Amino acid sequence: MADTGFNAFKMAQEQFDKVAEKLELDEGTKELLRSPMREYHFNIPIRMDDGRTKVFKGFRIQHNDARGPCKGGIRFHPQETADTVRALSMWMTWKCSVVDIPLGGGKGGVICDPHNLSQREQEAICRGWVRQISKNVGPVEDIPAPDVMTNSQHMLWMLDEFETINGGRYPGFITGKPVGHGGSLGRTEATGYGVVFTLREACKGAEIDISDTTASVQGFGNVSQHAIELYHKYGGTTVCVSCWDQGDKKAHSFYKQNGIDLKELRGITDRFGSINKNRAEELGYTILPGDEWLKQEVDILIPAALENAITGENVNDISKKVKMIAEGANGPTTPEADRILHERGIIVIPDFLANAGGVACSYFEQVQSNTNYYWSKDEVIGKLDTKMTDAYYAVMELSKRNSISLRDAAYMIAISRVAEACQLRGWV
Ligand code: NAD
């Protein structure tokens, strides 16, 4: 989405083709799995606050539902493209499969910039999105969730519209709802915590004491903040975070040698995950260019902003000290950069494994919503830890056994499960 030459869908297909060959999938299965099964593209007309009508482009793309209903977030972003949504829907299929939950992959989006929209206009977009697609989504077809620049309020507006259209209460239609309105405790923390559950296990495997490590993180939104929270609970130190500055129209990195204070930084961060630069300076942070987060001499990097963050061009800026990269964002590392990281012996915990905590918890939310019985936060986080840890070990063991990267091992497990479901259903 960020770079003109970059195409996330081509990258997702390139990753798939490589693994499909290793798995010796037949031509029919390959053809089915390398593109989405269904795509919906639609216009959402909105009466703006100034009385004009503006038409927003919306998408829902369903990659595969052989293992269960499609599942995936909805992004509001001014540079959203159909190819980005296609790639993300495919990654959702692999993500649900690698953590072994009975769901398929989907993704949605609207080309819009919530920074320039009132609450009323955002509500109208949410309701308009559901009106266009309500026949093709639902608790047993396709279950949306929040993603970049969407939150629990957006989900509740969407649920309300869906229930109004369908005349009933269907809390299992959407996840990421507010707690007390069908949401699950622990959902807000789930993706970031999941990243750190896998990181904790990878550190154990590499005989690294996590409490002795330092990290640098791209992004300071939902995933990043909760990853940092748990990483600090385990004793780690984060020395640098970066985020987007809407005023300057560029990213900045915020550095503190002795480690950032999460509570302090959260206090000067807006709801879009942008840290107030002037207040950070007053608090003693050094403000560096946006790409400096990648160049820090730390043990661990956590890209948790957008795709295409680590590329062939900047991969060699990564310090020799870095031992591990836990991909919080979707698609942060290009295949070229990935090859170089593998050659350098840096352990990369791949996106669709590392950040699967969000969808695992969404699945828990759906189970709770469908049964109308809600669990305690400890129960949710405990189940999440078990899911993520089990998935990590399955991937790590295959990676060791076949001397392949964690990414290749995760793809092999995920794709073979989906291929098997398609074959058993008689689709291929
Ligand atoms: P968010 O909107 O809460 O936060 C995004 C953060 O990235 C913000 O701090 C923003 O300022 C920063 N950012 C944007 N552009 C940047 C740039 N060029 N350089 C540095 N920082 C930049 O989003 P989120 O929910 O935390 O999601 C982050 C990533 O994780 C996305 O790739 C998303 O698809 C993925 N993801 C999210 C979830 C989830 O549950 N929220 C689950 C799985 C994957």
Side-chain angles (χ1 to χ4, degrees):
M1 186 151 52
D3 187 341
T4 44
F6 172 74
N7 183 307
F9 186 46
K10 281 204 181 115
M11 172 171 142
Q13 287 190 315
E14 198 178 312
Q15 291 166 338
F16 169 77
D17 290 342
K18 195 173 124 192
V19 181
E21 209 174 293
K22 277 199 185 129
L23 289 171
E24 296 178 1
L25 293 184
D26 62 86
E27 284 309 312
T29 308
K30 272 197 280 198
E31 197 179 336
L32 180 68
L33 294 182
R34 77 190 301 280
S35 318
M37 292 189 79
R38 289 177 291 275
E39 294 198 3
Y40 304 96
H41 298 221
F42 41 87
N43 287 335
I44 309 171
I46 299 295
R47 181 69 49 83
M48 305 299 281
D49 289 348
D50 64 6
R52 281 179 312 130
T53 296
K54 206 169 158 188
V55 178
F56 293 88
K57 299 271 174 215
F59 306 95
R60 187 68 186 175
I61 297 186
Q62 298 169 347
H63 173 257
N64 188 282
D65 56 5
R67 285 173 45 87
C70 295
K71 181 92 194 80
I74 299 171
R75 300 163 41 125
F76 284 180
H77 199 283
Q79 273 101 45
E80 196 63 282
T81 68
D83 268 350
T84 310
V85 183
R86 284 185 187 109
L88 291 163
S89 73
M90 194 195 270
W91 286 322
M92 282 307 297
T93 305
W94 314 143
K95 195 181 295 192
C96 292
S97 177
V98 80
V99 286
D100 205 11
I101 54 178
L103 295 168
K107 204 80 177 187
V110 178
I111 303 177
C112 70
D113 188 350
H115 292 98
N116 307 324
L117 296 166
S118 69
Q119 285 290 97
R120 194 204 64 79
E121 289 166 340
Q122 291 183 45
E123 178 178 347
I125 292 178
C126 289
R127 291 184 185 278
W129 190 91
V130 173
R131 279 203 295 277
Q132 296 304 322
I133 192 75
S134 67
K135 285 193 176 61
N136 309 100
V137 292
V140 295
E141 290 100 0
D142 182 0
I143 305 124
D147 204 300
V148 174
M149 288 203 268
T150 55
N151 57 37
S152 59
Q153 175 63 76
H154 297 108
M155 299 305 110
L156 201 54
W157 286 325
M158 289 183 166
L159 176 65
D160 188 66
E161 191 65 26
F162 184 83
E163 292 181 332
T164 303
I165 293 168
N166 289 289
R169 289 284 174 254
Y170 300 94
F173 155 60
I174 205 159
T175 61
K177 303 179 289 294
V179 172
H181 300 275
S184 176
L185 291 166
R187 175 60 186 87
T188 316
E189 295 86 347
T191 306
Y193 278 21
V195 171
V196 176
F197 287 143
T198 60
L199 181 64
R200 178 194 65 199
E201 298 308 316
C203 283
K204 277 186 205 159
E207 294 181 0
I208 294 169
D209 180 351
I210 195 167
S211 68
D212 275 347
T213 60
T214 52
S216 178
V217 183
Q218 187 189 35
F220 198 62
N222 175 281
V223 178
S224 161
Q225 289 187 29
H226 290 102
I228 293 171
E229 186 178 286
L230 187 60
Y231 174 64
H232 288 187
K233 271 192 198 152
Y234 289 150
T237 306
T238 307
V239 295
C240 186
V241 296
S242 71
C243 68
W244 183 255
D245 187 315
Q246 187 60 17
D248 292 355
K249 295 264 181 284
K250 61 180 179 186
H252 300 297
S253 300
F254 298 77
Y255 174 81
K256 211 176 218 182
Q257 193 178 6
N258 297 331
I260 65 149
D261 180 328
L262 181 63
K263 197 166 162 223
E264 176 183 86
L265 270 193
R266 272 178 163 161
I268 58 166
T269 299
D270 69 15
R271 65 199 164 92
F272 300 108
S274 296
I275 301 166
N276 184 312
K277 202 174 56 175
N278 297 333
R279 300 212 31 215
E281 248 169 350
E282 283 163 21
L283 291 168
Y285 289 85
T286 309
I287 317 295
L288 302 168
D291 56 358
E292 282 291 321
W293 75 277
L294 184 88
K295 304 177 183 171
Q296 299 304 310
E297 283 208 19
V298 289
D299 304 294
I300 296 161
L301 293 177
I302 306 180
L306 293 172
E307 60 272 19
N308 197 27
I310 305 175
T311 65
E313 269 153 43
N314 66 15
V315 64
N316 290 321
D317 293 339
I318 293 177
S319 147
K320 287 198 172 61
K321 189 166 189 259
V322 171
K323 298 171 192 74
M324 246 171 236
I325 299 179
E327 295 183 334
N330 288 314
T333 310
T334 64
E336 188 190 354
D338 204 34
R339 268 192 300 277
I340 296 168
L341 292 171
H342 189 61
E343 281 160 21
R344 282 178 58 179
I346 295 176
I347 297 168
V348 179
I349 310 173
D351 49 3
F352 68 103
L353 170 63
N355 70 30
V359 75
C361 192
S362 287
Y363 165 58
F364 298 154
E365 178 176 335
Q366 220 219 352
V367 172
Q368 294 171 77
S369 287
N370 286 340
T371 55
N372 215 6
Y373 175 74
Y374 291 86
W375 312 339
S376 71
K377 185 167 171 183
D378 281 353
E379 192 174 353
V380 175
I381 300 294
K383 283 184 161 74
L384 181 70
D385 192 347
T386 306
K387 250 296 157 236
M388 296 302 295
T389 302
D390 286 353
Y392 175 77
Y393 278 102
V395 169
M396 191 271 288
E397 276 154 21
L398 182 67
S399 133
K400 274 207 168 143
R401 206 163 50 242
N402 291 7
S403 302
I404 53 177
S405 68
L406 290 175
R407 192 186 310 278
D408 285 353
Y411 266 120
M412 285 178 78
I413 289 175
I415 293 174
S416 57
R417 283 180 185 155
V418 178
E420 190 190 357
C422 294
Q423 281 151 12
L424 287 173
R425 281 176 179 275
W427 292 358
V428 285

